[in-house]
Amino acid sequence: MQTLSKSSTLLEILKKLNIKENKIFCAGPCAVESYEQLYFIASELLKKGANIIRAGAFKPRTSPYSFQGLGLEGINIIKAVSTELKVPFVSEITDFKYLDIFLENIDFIQIGSRNMYNSELLKELGKIKKPILLKRGISATYEEWLNAAEYILKEGNTDIILCERGIRGFDNFFRNTLDLSSVPYIKQFMPIIVDVSHACGKTEFIESLTYASFAAGADGVMLEVHNNPQNSLCDAQQAISINKFEEILINSKKLLKALYE
Ligand code: PEP
Ligand code: MN
């Protein structure tokens, strides 16, 4: 086992994000598409019980011809919606040249799967005072993933939540293979949530994998939700509707109560 510095507890991090509950229900579109789209989805999700909104402005896509996100314009839209609705947003940083902009505008900074190995970016994020969501690399072992977290911890930023988002397996029926064993293992060291959407990639399986994540002990989930899922500009095949999100959240709370209270 590698050296692992002490990290903050889930409750300490949630307090910094102004969240009063003890589970994360993070939901929102894969990407910011417009102010109207983001405002509508975020305000509906808040009414339904989401406590963090996700939205990508810089979208690292497999194909350079796919929608790449609105970039800085997207960050400005997130800031405007976040301020109006008074809700924390998580958004992915892809390059440390944007660090000042993220520091000014984004409450919870995501490091995506593709950047989990970017140690220079990790070191820079270790010097700041904002909570970090560190996703698992697509083929990262637990040791590599925890070492990525250590790059941040070592510099002094202890507010890190890890995010299981599936790994590449031998079967490509699902977008990735959801490794739920990571949840009880990683939870021994730091908080962990599950991004069910990227892990499975198919709308119809999001619900059962969300319940499975909570049953495994996850501190929360991240779900891609869209007001018009089929026409989402990014990851339409895994986006669920706002009503479906509400149903999943209500049932998850019942499950959590039955299992842990
Ligand atoms: C995302 O959450 O928008 C994303 C691109 O996920 P990942 O880095 O896990 O692929
Ligand atoms: Mn996505």
Side-chain angles (χ1 to χ4, degrees):
M1 181 64 208
Q2 70 282 4
T3 309
L4 204 53
S5 306
K6 196 173 162 5
S7 51
S8 306
T9 64
L10 176 71
L11 291 184
E12 285 165 346
I13 300 170
L14 293 179
K15 202 166 163 205
K16 291 191 183 157
L17 290 167
N18 265 324
I19 295 171
K20 299 201 170 56
E21 293 149 305
N22 61 3
K23 289 286 172 195
I24 291 176
F25 284 94
C26 173
C30 180
V32 191
E33 296 172 20
S34 68
Y35 173 83
E36 292 71 21
Q37 171 244 19
L38 193 62
Y39 185 89
F40 179 78
I41 298 176
S43 55
E44 289 299 308
L45 288 174
L46 280 184
K47 285 186 226 155
K48 309 294 188 200
N51 48 22
I52 299 178
I53 305 296
R54 64 147 289 138
F58 294 93
K59 293 303 311 170
R61 305 299 299 280
T62 303
S63 164
Y65 300 104
S66 302
F67 175 57
Q68 301 287 306
L70 296 181
L72 294 176
E73 187 195 342
I75 297 291
N76 290 336
I77 294 173
I78 292 174
K79 177 66 173 180
V81 175
S82 167
T83 309
E84 260 171 85
L85 297 175
K86 299 186 179 49
V87 60
F89 266 77
V90 61
S91 196
E92 178 174 350
I93 188 164
T94 49
D95 192 312
F96 63 73
K97 71 182 179 212
Y98 299 124
L99 193 54
D100 286 343
I101 290 161
F102 271 72
L103 279 174
E104 222 174 283
N105 298 294
I106 304 296
D107 309 292
F108 189 20
I109 302 180
Q110 175 172 323
I111 300 178
S113 194
R114 293 160 185 80
N115 266 309
M116 190 214 81
Y117 289 105
N118 185 343
S119 50
E120 292 307 314
L121 180 60
L122 299 171
K123 283 181 201 165
E124 292 304 314
L125 292 173
K127 294 177 192 146
I128 65 170
K129 297 245 171 303
K130 290 217 174 187
I132 306 294
L133 184 68
L134 177 63
K135 288 194 149 196
R136 182 178 186 179
I138 195 156
S139 60
T141 63
Y142 298 152
E143 192 175 354
E144 288 166 338
W145 190 16
L146 287 170
N147 265 311
E150 182 61 18
Y151 265 103
I152 301 170
L153 290 170
K154 181 176 173 285
E155 299 295 329
N157 187 353
T158 56
D159 299 329
I160 310 179
I161 296 178
L162 264 51
C163 180
E164 170 62 56
R165 46 79 72 212
I167 47 175
R168 184 163 285 168
F170 60 84
D171 191 336
N172 61 5
F173 175 77
F174 285 107
R175 182 170 181 175
N176 291 294
T177 296
L178 176 52
D179 173 20
L180 279 180
S181 309
S182 68
V183 174
Y185 178 67
I186 297 291
K187 221 182 147 178
Q188 301 176 104
F189 311 108
M190 57 189 78
I192 177 167
I193 67 167
V194 178
D195 171 353
V196 179
S197 304
H198 291 91
C200 108
K202 291 184 195 287
T203 309
E204 62 271 39
F205 300 102
I206 302 288
E207 180 174 6
S208 46
L209 292 179
T210 300
Y211 304 148
S213 301
F214 281 122
D219 294 308
V221 288
M222 172 186 265
L223 303 176
E224 288 192 342
V225 185
H226 201 277
N227 55 319
N228 187 353
Q230 276 132 356
N231 290 315
S232 173
L233 285 186
C234 195
D235 288 349
Q237 69 292 346
Q238 66 193 33
I240 57 169
S241 67
I242 293 165
N243 285 342
K244 188 70 193 175
F245 171 76
E246 183 181 29
E247 187 190 327
I248 293 175
L249 181 139
I250 291 170
N251 288 334
S252 296
K253 289 199 168 171
K254 284 188 201 157
L255 176 68
L256 287 165
K257 202 162 180 224
L259 285 173
Y260 304 113
E261 280 180 21

